[in-house]
């Protein structure tokens, strides 16, 4: 017999009474297990008469052993009986324990019920897309930068020039760690060095030697240098200037894009690329706005445990990304001057949004009966195999088919909401942007 008592934020108590033959068998089994560990004078371990053992073994110890043996199976049976989907680690308290019955009180969070609001026929607010002259010029100049040539200059260095130099930093006349390099190529104006370093190199020429008197920023990450006055001794080996190509038909051909032979062709290509990029950004923003309103229209009490799980997963993903760059999470936190608790708080808000979105999509999928077909699940399995360059059989062994089914259902719900919205632009078959051929190294 069990009773489910809901509490706040989709948590509750499941009170279960185990009695009759089930409890008697559990206690007998528990008694025998405990008795097997008891050593009494004159008897081999566990071989003393039961009546003597009953006097030596506290009855409460037997009850606790019996509860420990049956608690998980009892919980699983009663979750099914009460149609509850648990989403947190259960806590167990004990009520009355006797030879006749045991009262088990499980406390946990369950998957919350979602009360859907309006999600069909909402307005799709996609911004108009136009490419400004400034955006066009910026992209054109980016391409010119990619195909720029570099020539050695005898004149004094200017902002934008590349200076090849040796340098060594001194604090109070003593070289400091990390303050030395040889044949370092520095683009003046890049902001790569502390304030004043690059500016004081303006006007230098090849062969010049110069002392740069500088002060490290107060917030500099190395505590021994933060706010410190230092001197950098530099020697300039070479100054090179960047020469951008003229925008003509020859440059258009150098871009090596299909169908681009003239400046007009190049301008059309740039405009198309920028338009496609801005359309994608506008579409993403409109999608986010649409589904935020769908979530705002829905009511759901999300248990803290689901948000905590989401935060843990996001931090785990961050950790994996950091490992790819050879950095630990501890090192990252030190660099960002954050604690582990700070990081969890940073993820909290987005985690809550992600969980609610997932729950709402799941509810829409059920409401609209958007059950994935076996073919759709198989297709998604193949997509995963292609994405991770794995054999399909490997993916099938690694991926839980039921979980994947839920993901596919949510994706169908996502598409259902978007397709039902008012003002969704017709899908255009975007032409893949031709890859630019990198300029050959000289």
């Amino acid at each position: 017999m069990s009773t489910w008592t809901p509490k706040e934020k989709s948590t509750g108590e499941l009170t279960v009474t185990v009695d009759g033959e089930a409890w008697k068998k559990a206690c007998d089994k528990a008694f025998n297990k405990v008795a097997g560990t008891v050593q009494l004078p004159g008897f081999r371990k566990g071989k003393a008469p039961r009546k003597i053992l009953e006097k030596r073994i506290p009855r409460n110890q037997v009850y606790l052993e019996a509860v420990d043996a049956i608690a998980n199976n009892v919980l699983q049976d009663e979750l099914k009986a009460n149609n509850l989907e648990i989403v947190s680690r259960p806590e167990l308290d004990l009520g009355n324990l006797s030879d006749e019955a045991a009262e088990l009180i499980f406390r946990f969070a369950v998957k919350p019920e979602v009360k859907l609001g309006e999600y069909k026929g909402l307005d799709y607010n996609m911004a108009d897309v136009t490419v400004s002259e400034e955006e066009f010029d910026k992209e054109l100049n980016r391409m010119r930068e990619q195909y720029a040539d570099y020539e050695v200059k005898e004149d004094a260095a200017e902002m934008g020039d590349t200076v090849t130099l040796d340098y060594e930093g001194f604090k109070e006349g003593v070289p400091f760690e990390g303050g030395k390099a040889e044949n370092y190529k520095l683009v003046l104006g890049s902001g790569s060095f502390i304030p004043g370093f690059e500016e004081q190199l303006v006007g230098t020429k090849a062969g010049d030697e110069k002392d740069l008197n500088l002060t490290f920023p107060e917030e500099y990450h190395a505590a021994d240098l933060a706010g410190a006055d230092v001197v950098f001794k530099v020697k300039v080996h070479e100054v090179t200037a960047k020469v951008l190509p003229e925008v003509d038909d020859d440059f258009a051909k150098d871009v090596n894009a299909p169908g681009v032979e003239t400046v007009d062709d190049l301008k059309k290509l740039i405009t198309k690329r920028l338009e496609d990029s801005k359309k994608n950004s506008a579409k993403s923003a409109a999608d986010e706005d649409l589904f935020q309103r769908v979530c705002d229209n829905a009511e759901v009490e999300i248990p803290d445990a689901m948000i905590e799980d989401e935060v843990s997963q996001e931090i785990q993903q961050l950790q994996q990304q950091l490992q790819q760059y050879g950095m630990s999470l501890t090192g990252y936190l030190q660099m960002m001057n954050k604690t582990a608790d700070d990081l969890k708080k940073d993820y909290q808000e987005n985690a809550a949004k992600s969980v609610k979105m997932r729950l709402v999509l799941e509810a829409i999928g059920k409401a609209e009966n958007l059950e994935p077909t076996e073919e759709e699940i198989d297709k998604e399995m193949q997509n995963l195999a292609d994405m991770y360059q794995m054999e399909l059989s490997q993916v099938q062994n690694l991926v839980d088919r039921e979980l994947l089914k839920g993901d596919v259902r949510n994706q169908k719900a996502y598409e259902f909401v978007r397709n039902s919205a008012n003002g969704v632009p017709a899908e255009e078959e975007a032409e893949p942007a031709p890859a630019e051929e990198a300029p050959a190294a000289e």
Side-chain angles (χ1 to χ4, degrees):
M1 181 178 70
S2 64
T3 303
W4 169 248
T5 306
K7 304 288 185 180
E8 62 180 8
K9 297 183 76 171
S10 301
T11 60
E13 292 180 357
L14 181 64
T15 303
V16 183
T17 300
V18 183
D19 54 13
E21 191 65 23
W23 180 239
K24 182 178 181 301
K25 285 182 179 179
C27 288
D28 286 344
K29 191 173 181 179
F31 180 87
N32 292 333
K33 182 177 180 180
V34 175
T37 66
V38 175
Q39 178 74 63
L40 294 179
F43 298 95
R44 284 179 296 166
K45 184 182 288 188
K47 296 300 182 179
R50 184 179 178 97
K51 288 186 177 180
I52 296 176
L53 289 170
E54 285 176 345
K55 292 178 181 179
R56 296 297 299 269
I57 298 174
R59 198 61 184 159
N60 202 52
Q61 184 180 357
V62 174
Y63 297 152
L64 294 177
E65 182 66 38
V67 168
D68 187 59
I70 67 172
N72 187 59
N73 287 338
V74 167
L75 175 61
Q76 296 305 319
D77 290 343
E78 296 306 320
L79 287 175
K80 290 180 182 177
N82 289 274
N83 196 28
L84 299 173
E85 188 172 350
I86 189 168
V87 295
S88 70
R89 182 182 295 274
E91 297 177 359
L92 173 61
D93 280 342
L94 301 177
N96 295 324
L97 299 176
S98 67
D99 284 347
E100 285 71 37
E103 186 180 58
L104 282 58
I105 305 166
F106 298 95
R107 295 187 178 89
F108 51 84
V110 295
K111 179 175 281 190
E113 181 181 352
V114 178
K115 184 178 179 181
L116 291 171
E118 290 294 326
Y119 61 88
K120 290 186 279 191
L122 299 177
D123 289 336
Y124 190 77
N125 302 318
M126 182 169 169
D128 292 334
V129 172
T130 55
V131 176
S132 68
E133 186 175 339
E134 181 182 358
E135 290 169 328
F136 177 89
D137 290 342
K138 183 178 179 180
E139 177 61 13
L140 176 60
N141 287 329
R142 184 195 68 78
M143 296 176 72
R144 293 176 70 200
E145 292 272 355
Q146 184 178 357
Y147 289 86
D149 289 326
Y150 294 84
E151 60 181 29
V152 177
K153 61 185 288 188
E154 296 181 2
D155 296 337
E158 301 174 298
M159 281 295 177
D161 289 345
T162 298
V163 177
T164 304
L165 72 158
D166 300 338
Y167 65 83
E168 186 170 15
F170 297 82
K171 177 185 175 185
E172 298 177 351
V174 179
F176 54 83
E177 186 178 355
K180 183 178 180 179
E182 295 180 352
N183 291 314
Y184 186 90
K185 293 185 181 296
L186 174 63
V187 179
L188 302 187
S190 64
S192 304
F193 280 52
I194 62 174
F197 190 104
E198 295 168 29
E199 288 80 357
Q200 290 190 39
L201 289 174
V202 172
T204 59
K205 299 180 180 180
D208 285 354
E209 296 186 20
K210 187 174 184 180
D211 289 353
L212 311 182
N213 295 293
L214 301 167
T215 301
F216 273 90
E218 293 289 343
E219 66 278 7
Y220 193 69
H221 63 84
D224 59 328
L225 292 175
D229 293 327
V230 297
V231 176
F232 278 95
K233 294 184 177 296
V234 303
K235 181 175 181 179
V236 178
H237 294 300
E238 184 180 72
V239 178
T240 58
K242 184 186 293 184
V243 180
L244 299 179
E246 293 294 327
V247 181
D248 53 23
D249 289 350
D250 288 336
F251 171 61
K253 292 173 183 175
D254 286 341
V255 171
N256 198 29
V260 175
E261 297 288 336
T262 66
V263 172
D264 284 343
D265 294 336
L266 181 60
K267 288 180 178 179
K268 290 176 183 178
L269 173 69
I270 293 173
T271 302
K272 179 69 165 60
R273 283 181 177 175
L274 291 174
E275 284 178 347
D276 288 345
S277 175
K278 296 190 76 170
K279 281 179 183 177
N280 287 334
S281 297
K283 175 185 171 184
S284 295
D287 283 357
E288 185 176 347
D289 169 69
L290 173 65
F291 284 93
Q292 185 59 56
R293 282 181 284 134
V294 170
C295 287
D296 289 344
N297 291 342
E299 295 179 16
V300 55
E301 286 191 346
I302 304 174
D304 293 337
M306 293 188 77
I307 297 174
E308 290 167 5
D309 285 348
E310 184 72 18
V311 169
S312 295
Q313 289 179 27
E314 292 186 8
I315 291 177
Q316 189 175 17
Q317 288 177 0
L318 171 64
Q319 201 166 6
Q320 291 171 351
Q321 291 169 355
L322 291 172
Q323 287 174 350
Q324 293 176 358
Y325 295 99
M327 183 182 291
S328 67
L329 182 60
T330 302
Y332 171 79
L333 290 173
Q334 290 174 346
M335 184 179 70
M336 300 299 292
N337 196 26
K338 289 179 179 287
T339 66
D341 286 340
D342 291 335
L343 188 63
K344 287 180 181 178
K345 288 177 183 176
D346 290 344
Y347 279 107
Q348 203 95 28
E349 185 177 349
N350 280 338
K353 288 182 179 179
S354 295
V355 172
K356 185 172 184 179
M357 169 75 81
R358 194 161 58 244
L359 291 169
V360 169
L361 287 174
E362 185 177 314
I364 293 172
K366 290 180 179 178
E368 298 295 336
N369 196 29
L370 301 174
E371 282 301 306
T373 64
E374 293 301 314
E375 290 76 14
E376 287 171 328
I377 300 172
D378 289 340
K379 182 180 179 181
E380 189 59 27
M381 283 280 189
Q382 186 62 59
N383 289 341
L384 291 173
D386 295 341
M387 182 186 303
Y388 294 106
Q389 297 181 338
M390 297 170 63
E391 293 293 330
L392 178 59
S393 58
Q394 287 180 284
V395 175
Q396 290 170 334
N397 289 332
L398 291 171
V399 176
D400 186 310
R401 194 173 179 87
E402 279 303 307
L403 289 178
L404 185 61
K405 181 178 180 180
D407 290 341
V408 175
R409 183 195 295 115
N410 286 358
Q411 182 60 36
K412 288 169 73 79
Y414 186 96
E415 293 167 358
F416 176 87
V417 171
R418 190 174 186 277
N419 292 338
S420 73
N422 298 317
V424 178
E427 290 292 338
E428 296 180 14
E429 189 172 339
E431 297 179 13
E436 297 171 15
E437 185 177 277
E442 296 182 1

